[in-house]
Coordinates of all heavy atoms in Angstrom, one line a residue:
L117 N 25.0 93.6 99.7 CA 23.8 94.4 99.8 C 24.1 95.6 100.6 O 23.2 96.5 100.7 CB 22.6 93.6 100.4 CG 22.2 92.3 99.6 CD1 21.1 91.6 100.4 CD2 21.7 92.7 98.3
G118 N 25.2 95.7 101.3 CA 25.6 96.9 102.0 C 25.1 96.7 103.4 O 24.7 95.6 103.9
T119 N 25.1 97.9 104.2 CA 24.7 97.8 105.6 C 23.2 98.0 105.6 O 22.7 99.0 105.1 CB 25.5 99.0 106.4 OG1 26.9 98.7 106.2 CG2 25.0 99.1 107.8
I120 N 22.5 97.2 106.3 CA 21.0 97.2 106.4 C 20.6 97.3 107.8 O 20.9 96.5 108.7 CB 20.5 95.9 105.7 CG1 20.9 95.9 104.2 CG2 18.9 96.0 105.9 CD1 20.5 94.6 103.6
S121 N 19.8 98.4 108.1 CA 19.4 98.6 109.5 C 17.9 98.3 109.6 O 17.3 98.4 110.7 CB 19.6 100.1 109.9 OG 19.0 100.9 109.0
T122 N 17.2 97.9 108.5 CA 15.8 97.5 108.6 C 15.7 96.0 108.3 O 16.7 95.3 108.1 CB 15.0 98.2 107.4 OG1 15.5 97.8 106.2 CG2 15.1 99.8 107.6
D123 N 14.5 95.4 108.4 CA 14.3 94.0 108.1 C 14.7 93.8 106.6 O 14.6 94.7 105.8 CB 12.9 93.6 108.2 CG 12.5 93.5 109.7 OD1 13.3 93.5 110.5 OD2 11.2 93.3 109.9
L124 N 15.3 92.6 106.4 CA 15.7 92.2 105.0 C 14.8 91.0 104.7 O 14.8 90.0 105.4 CB 17.1 91.8 105.0 CG 17.7 91.0 103.8 CD1 17.6 91.9 102.6 CD2 19.1 90.5 104.0
H125 N 14.1 91.1 103.5 CA 13.3 90.0 103.0 C 13.9 89.5 101.8 O 14.1 90.1 100.8 CB 11.8 90.6 102.7 CG 11.3 91.4 103.9 ND1 10.7 90.8 104.9 CD2 11.1 92.7 104.0 CE1 10.2 91.8 105.8 NE2 10.6 92.9 105.2
I126 N 14.1 88.1 101.8 CA 14.4 87.4 100.6 C 13.3 86.7 100.1 O 12.6 86.0 100.8 CB 15.6 86.4 101.0 CG1 16.8 87.1 101.6 CG2 16.0 85.6 99.7 CD1 17.5 88.2 100.8
Y127 N 13.0 87.0 98.7 CA 11.8 86.5 98.1 C 12.2 85.7 96.9 O 13.1 86.0 96.1 CB 11.0 87.7 97.7 CG 9.6 87.3 97.0 CD1 8.7 86.6 97.7 CD2 9.5 87.6 95.7 CE1 7.5 86.3 97.0 CE2 8.3 87.4 95.0 CZ 7.3 86.7 95.7 OH 6.1 86.3 95.1
A128 N 11.5 84.6 96.6 CA 11.6 83.8 95.5 C 10.4 83.9 94.5 O 9.4 83.3 94.7 CB 11.7 82.3 95.9
P129 N 10.6 84.8 93.6 CA 9.4 85.2 92.6 C 9.2 84.1 91.6 O 8.1 84.1 90.9 CB 9.8 86.5 92.1 CG 11.3 86.4 92.0 CD 11.7 85.7 93.2
G130 N 10.1 83.2 91.3 CA 10.0 82.2 90.2 C 9.1 81.1 90.6 O 8.4 81.0 91.6
R131 N 9.3 80.0 89.7 CA 8.4 78.8 89.8 C 9.3 77.7 90.4 O 8.8 76.5 90.5 CB 7.9 78.4 88.5 CG 6.9 79.4 87.9 CD 6.4 79.0 86.6 NE 5.5 80.0 86.0 CZ 4.2 80.1 86.1 NH1 3.6 79.3 86.9 NH2 3.6 81.1 85.6
E132 N 10.6 77.9 90.6 CA 11.5 76.9 91.2 C 12.0 77.2 92.6 O 11.9 78.5 93.0 CB 12.7 76.7 90.3 CG 12.4 76.3 88.9 CD 13.6 76.2 88.0 OE1 14.7 76.1 88.5 OE2 13.4 76.3 86.8
I133 N 12.4 76.2 93.3 CA 12.9 76.5 94.7 C 14.2 77.3 94.5 O 15.0 77.0 93.6 CB 13.3 75.1 95.3 CG1 11.9 74.3 95.6 CG2 14.0 75.3 96.7 CD1 12.2 73.0 96.2
G134 N 14.4 78.3 95.4 CA 15.6 79.1 95.3 C 16.6 78.6 96.4 O 16.2 78.0 97.4
Y135 N 17.9 78.6 96.1 CA 19.0 78.2 96.9 C 20.0 79.3 97.1 O 20.4 79.9 96.1 CB 19.7 77.0 96.3 CG 18.8 75.8 96.1 CD1 18.1 75.5 94.9 CD2 18.5 74.9 97.2 CE1 17.3 74.5 94.7 CE2 17.7 73.9 97.0 CZ 17.1 73.6 95.8 OH 16.3 72.5 95.6
Y136 N 20.3 79.6 98.4 CA 21.3 80.7 98.6 C 22.0 80.5 99.8 O 21.7 79.7 100.7 CB 20.6 82.0 98.5 CG 19.6 82.3 99.7 CD1 20.0 83.0 100.8 CD2 18.3 81.7 99.7 CE1 19.1 83.2 101.9 CE2 17.4 82.0 100.7 CZ 17.8 82.7 101.8 OH 17.0 82.9 102.9
N137 N 23.1 81.3 100.0 CA 23.9 81.4 101.2 C 23.8 82.9 101.6 O 23.8 83.8 100.7 CB 25.4 81.1 101.0 CG 25.5 79.7 100.4 OD1 24.8 78.8 100.7 ND2 26.6 79.5 99.6
I138 N 23.9 83.2 102.9 CA 23.8 84.6 103.4 C 24.8 84.8 104.6 O 25.0 83.8 105.3 CB 22.4 85.0 103.8 CG1 22.3 86.5 104.0 CG2 21.9 84.2 105.0 CD1 20.9 87.0 104.1
K139 N 25.5 86.0 104.6 CA 26.3 86.3 105.7 C 25.9 87.6 106.2 O 25.9 88.6 105.4 CB 27.8 86.3 105.2 CG 28.8 86.7 106.2 CD 30.2 86.7 105.7 CE 31.2 87.1 106.7 NZ 31.0 87.0 108.1
I140 N 25.6 87.8 107.5 CA 25.2 89.0 108.1 C 26.2 89.4 109.1 O 26.5 88.7 110.2 CB 23.8 88.8 108.8 CG1 22.8 88.4 107.7 CG2 23.4 90.1 109.5 CD1 21.4 88.1 108.2
G141 N 26.9 90.6 108.9 CA 27.9 91.1 109.9 C 29.0 90.0 110.0 O 29.6 89.5 109.1
N142 N 29.5 89.9 111.3 CA 30.7 89.0 111.5 C 30.2 87.6 111.8 O 31.1 86.7 112.1 CB 31.4 89.5 112.8 CG 32.1 90.9 112.5 OD1 32.5 91.1 111.4 ND2 32.1 91.7 113.5
N143 N 29.0 87.3 111.7 CA 28.4 85.9 111.8 C 29.0 85.0 110.6 O 29.2 85.6 109.5 CB 27.0 85.9 111.8 CG 26.4 86.6 113.0 OD1 26.9 86.4 114.2 ND2 25.4 87.5 112.8
P144 N 29.1 83.8 110.9 CA 29.5 82.9 109.8 C 28.5 82.8 108.7 O 27.3 83.1 108.9 CB 29.8 81.6 110.4 CG 29.0 81.6 111.7 CD 28.9 83.0 112.1
W145 N 28.9 82.4 107.5 CA 27.9 82.2 106.3 C 26.9 81.1 106.8 O 27.3 80.2 107.5 CB 28.6 81.6 105.1 CG 29.3 82.7 104.3 CD1 30.6 83.1 104.5 CD2 28.8 83.5 103.3 NE1 30.9 84.1 103.5 CE2 29.8 84.4 102.8 CE3 27.5 83.6 102.7 CZ2 29.6 85.2 101.8 CZ3 27.3 84.5 101.7 CH2 28.3 85.3 101.3
Q146 N 25.7 81.4 106.5 CA 24.6 80.4 106.6 C 24.5 79.8 105.2 O 24.1 80.5 104.3 CB 23.3 81.0 107.0 CG 23.3 81.6 108.4 CD 21.9 82.3 108.7 OE1 20.9 81.7 108.5 NE2 22.1 83.5 109.2
N147 N 24.9 78.5 105.1 CA 25.0 77.9 103.8 C 23.8 76.9 103.6 O 23.3 76.3 104.5 CB 26.4 77.1 103.7 CG 27.5 78.1 103.7 OD1 27.5 79.0 103.0 ND2 28.5 77.7 104.5
G148 N 23.5 76.7 102.3 CA 22.5 75.7 101.9 C 21.1 76.0 102.2 O 20.3 75.1 102.4

């Protein structure tokens, strides 16, 4: 997603539960 200096909102617009992993900067991946 590139370098983000504002708040980042992850949204699930569908009808099912969304599953994702995210990595911000040098922090480890947040999995599951």
Side-chain angles (χ1 to χ4, degrees):
L117 297 177
T119 300
I120 300 175
S121 58
T122 63
D123 286 349
L124 167 65
H125 308 282
I126 304 300
Y127 179 68
R131 297 181 186 268
E132 298 178 20
I133 295 174
Y135 298 95
Y136 67 98
N137 304 327
I138 192 166
K139 180 175 177 27
I140 300 174
N142 293 325
N143 296 313
W145 280 92
Q146 295 178 47
N147 295 314

